[in-house]
């Protein structure tokens, strides 16, 4: 038989198989005071609320929180004992702030700790800290065993009203914000009021820019509510601030769970209003600027852009700038003068979105206006107006 001249009979192609499936998540958001008080059931109920949960827990604590609340590690241990959980080992303190997000070094360290503590997929990792720690430790938990269950205990205004509620985690690489990361919904988020009193003024202030952001694109009545509370927030009145933080967290949560695109497969990302420049400003400043401070400047730039483009009335734009300043934000960082470097943020956003640009601007307070093109001349005029403002 001449194998070389033998040809296989043509076969019909296999029938294509497209099988759509969905994965169910439950997003649990709670506000309480005294998260780790032995008699407080809030955290315990979330830890137990999963079939097959082992009751084995460990905790990673932001170094800034550990310094401000020296007894927090002992409180975690006491709480675990009071509720019958098996504590895998002493709480692990990790660096706070953006330094924990500088590449994958700290992420790898956390993965090794998870392995050493014999944490499995039915165990629970409790992360206590600000947004950067939630991001980096969250990424490590998403990678370990392809996903370890996480309960977040956000401790800053920003993480309690925005980032701690989200379903993303990541770290910075190659000079870009959150270049390495993933989507990993937490099992629960417990916002502890007691952590707010010890924040530095800058960290206290930072979360309220995110509240302004979500109000501007989602809820005009909420914007007015923030205006009414601004004087009290500026002097750190916690009872006045809590309703603002909680409403911001709720709007963020509803967008994620009801907006139809929780993992951002589409181009539009309305929750990133003001962020194309904010991310660049953080990087350009060497993270001298806090995220919330950079977001306040980004909101100002995009509000002025909206006004320069003829979409937003001048009086409404002025209301936005005045509110940000009443909350204590400085809107004229020196980095905004570096136009070329700042405007690279638009190209980085385009890359992050998959090549198609979709930026959120304003048609009015509470009304998002989406744009698929960016006019650098309009942006230049908007930034120049911000620089020239008194």
């Amino acid at each position: 038989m001449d194998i070389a001249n033998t040809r296989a009979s043509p076969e019909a192609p296999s029938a294509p198989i497209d099988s759509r499936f969905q994965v169910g998540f439950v997003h649990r958001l709670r506000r309480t005071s005294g998260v780790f008080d032995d008699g407080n059931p809030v955290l315990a109920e979330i830890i137990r609320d999963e079939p097959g949960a082992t009751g084995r827990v460990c905790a990673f604590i932001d170094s800034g929180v550990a310094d401000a609340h020296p007894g927090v590690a002992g409180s975690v241990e006491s709480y675990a004992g009071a509720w019958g959980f098996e504590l895998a080992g002493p709480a692990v303190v990790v660096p706070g702030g953006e330094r924990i997000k500088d590449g994958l070094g700290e992420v790898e360290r956390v993965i090794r700790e998870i392995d050493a503590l014999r944490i499995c997929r039915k165990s629970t990792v409790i992360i206590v800290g600000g947004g950067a720690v939630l991001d980096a430790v969250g990424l490590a938990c998403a990678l370990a065993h392809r996903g370890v269950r996480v309960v977040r205990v956000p401790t800053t205004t920003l993480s309690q009203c925005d980032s701690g509620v989200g379903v993303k985690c990541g770290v910075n690489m190659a000079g870009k914000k959150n270049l390495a990361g993933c989507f990993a919904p937490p099992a629960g988020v417990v916002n502890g009021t007691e952590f707010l009193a010890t924040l530095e003024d800058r960290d206290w202030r930072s979360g309220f820019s995110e509240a302004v952001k979500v109000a501007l694109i989602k809820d005009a009545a909420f914007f007015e509510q923030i205006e009414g509370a601004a004087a009290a927030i500026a002097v750190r009145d916690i009872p006045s601030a809590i309703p603002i933080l909680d409403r911001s967290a709720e709007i963020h949560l509803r967008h994620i769970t009801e907006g139809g695109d929780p993992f951002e497969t589409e181009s539009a990302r309305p929750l990133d209003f003001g962020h194309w420049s904010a991310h660049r400003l953080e990087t350009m400043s060497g993270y001298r600027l806090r995220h919330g401070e950079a977001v306040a400047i980004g909101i100002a730039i995009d509000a002025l852009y909206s006004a320069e483009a003829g979409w937003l009335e001048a009086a409404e734009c002025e209301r936005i700038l005045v509110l940000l300043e009443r909350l204590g934000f400085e809107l004229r960082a020196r980095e905004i003068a570096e136009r070329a470097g700042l405007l690279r943020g638009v190209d980085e956003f385009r890359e992050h979105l998959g090549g198609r640009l979709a930026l959120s601007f304003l048609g009015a307070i509470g009304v998002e206006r989406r744009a698929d093109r960016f006019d650098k001349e309009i942006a230049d005029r908007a930034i120049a107006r911000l620089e020239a403002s008194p």
Side-chain angles (χ1 to χ4, degrees):
M1 181 177 183
D2 188 352
I3 297 176
N5 293 324
T6 301
R7 295 184 179 180
S9 301
E11 296 180 1
S14 299
I17 300 174
D18 298 317
S19 183
R20 187 180 298 275
F21 70 98
Q22 294 180 329
V23 179
F25 292 102
V26 177
H27 203 313
R28 304 166 181 87
L29 174 62
R30 308 287 188 268
R31 158 75 61 188
T32 190
S33 185
V35 177
F36 299 113
D37 289 353
D38 287 354
N40 189 336
V42 173
L43 177 62
E45 289 171 353
I46 291 177
I47 293 173
R48 287 177 173 163
D49 190 14
E50 178 177 329
T54 64
R56 185 175 176 81
V57 301
C58 71
F60 290 85
I61 300 176
D62 186 317
S63 60
V65 176
D67 290 342
H69 300 264
V72 67
S75 295
V76 172
E77 183 175 351
S78 175
Y79 190 87
W83 288 93
F85 300 124
E86 180 190 354
L87 191 65
V92 179
V93 176
V94 295
E98 286 293 320
R99 56 185 172 152
I100 195 174
K101 294 185 60 168
D102 185 13
L104 291 166
E106 289 295 332
V107 172
E108 182 177 351
R109 177 195 166 205
V110 172
I111 292 173
R112 292 184 183 279
E113 291 281 3
I114 288 171
D115 179 55
L117 293 169
R118 295 183 296 110
I119 294 298
C120 71
R121 288 174 55 82
K122 290 296 184 178
S123 306
T124 301
V125 175
I126 304 166
I127 312 175
V128 185
V133 166
L134 299 179
D135 263 1
V137 178
L139 178 58
C141 291
L143 296 173
H145 302 301
R146 299 189 181 94
V148 172
R149 189 167 184 260
V150 164
V151 176
R152 298 174 182 161
V153 181
T155 58
T156 63
T157 58
L158 195 149
S159 58
Q160 289 192 5
C161 82
D162 179 7
S163 60
V165 182
V167 295
K168 296 183 285 190
C169 50
V171 295
N172 310 324
M173 295 181 69
K176 295 181 180 179
K177 182 86 171 178
N178 295 324
L179 179 62
C182 66
F183 291 91
V189 179
V190 182
N191 285 334
T193 301
E194 69 270 23
F195 295 108
L196 302 179
T198 58
L199 294 175
E200 295 181 13
D201 285 344
R202 291 177 69 188
D203 291 321
W204 164 266
R205 183 183 307 124
S206 284
F208 296 100
S209 62
E210 293 284 6
V212 171
K213 171 209 73 178
V214 78
L216 285 172
I217 60 171
K218 292 278 188 180
D219 190 339
F222 182 40
F223 183 86
E224 293 177 3
Q225 184 183 355
I226 301 172
E227 286 182 312
I233 289 169
V235 296
R236 300 189 57 152
D237 182 71
I238 290 178
S240 298
I242 292 300
I244 304 302
L245 297 176
D246 287 353
R247 177 59 180 155
S248 175
E250 179 186 3
I251 297 174
H252 280 91
L253 179 96
R254 297 295 182 196
H255 177 85
I256 292 165
T257 60
E258 301 172 8
D261 188 29
F263 298 154
E264 297 179 357
T265 57
E266 300 173 3
S267 294
R269 296 199 310 179
L271 293 184
D272 278 341
F273 169 71
H275 281 57
W276 69 263
S277 55
H279 287 171
R280 281 298 298 160
L281 287 166
E282 286 182 85
T283 303
M284 291 167 65
S285 74
Y287 296 97
R288 182 191 82 258
L289 289 172
R290 304 281 208 277
H291 180 68
E293 294 168 337
V295 168
I297 298 168
I299 289 170
I301 291 171
D302 281 358
L304 286 162
Y305 184 104
S306 301
E308 286 289 328
W311 304 328
L312 180 68
E313 291 185 5
E316 291 204 326
C317 182
E318 183 64 18
R319 279 179 68 190
I320 295 165
L321 301 181
V322 167
L323 175 57
L324 291 170
E325 291 183 328
R326 287 180 62 206
L327 290 168
F329 290 106
E330 171 55 57
L331 302 180
R332 284 160 293 278
R334 60 179 178 267
E335 285 79 11
I336 65 175
E338 301 174 38
R339 296 286 202 281
L342 182 59
L343 292 177
R344 277 205 301 274
V346 176
D347 295 326
E348 290 179 3
F349 241 60
R350 182 184 284 109
E351 292 172 14
H352 203 58
L353 293 169
R356 286 186 58 197
L357 188 64
L359 294 176
S360 294
F361 292 102
L362 297 176
I365 289 175
V367 179
E368 177 198 8
R369 178 175 179 125
R370 200 162 292 167
D372 59 6
R373 62 181 299 271
F374 183 81
D375 190 317
K376 291 187 177 182
E377 291 185 4
I378 293 177
D380 193 66
R381 294 201 303 271
I383 295 168
R385 282 184 58 185
L386 185 60
E387 287 180 303
S389 60

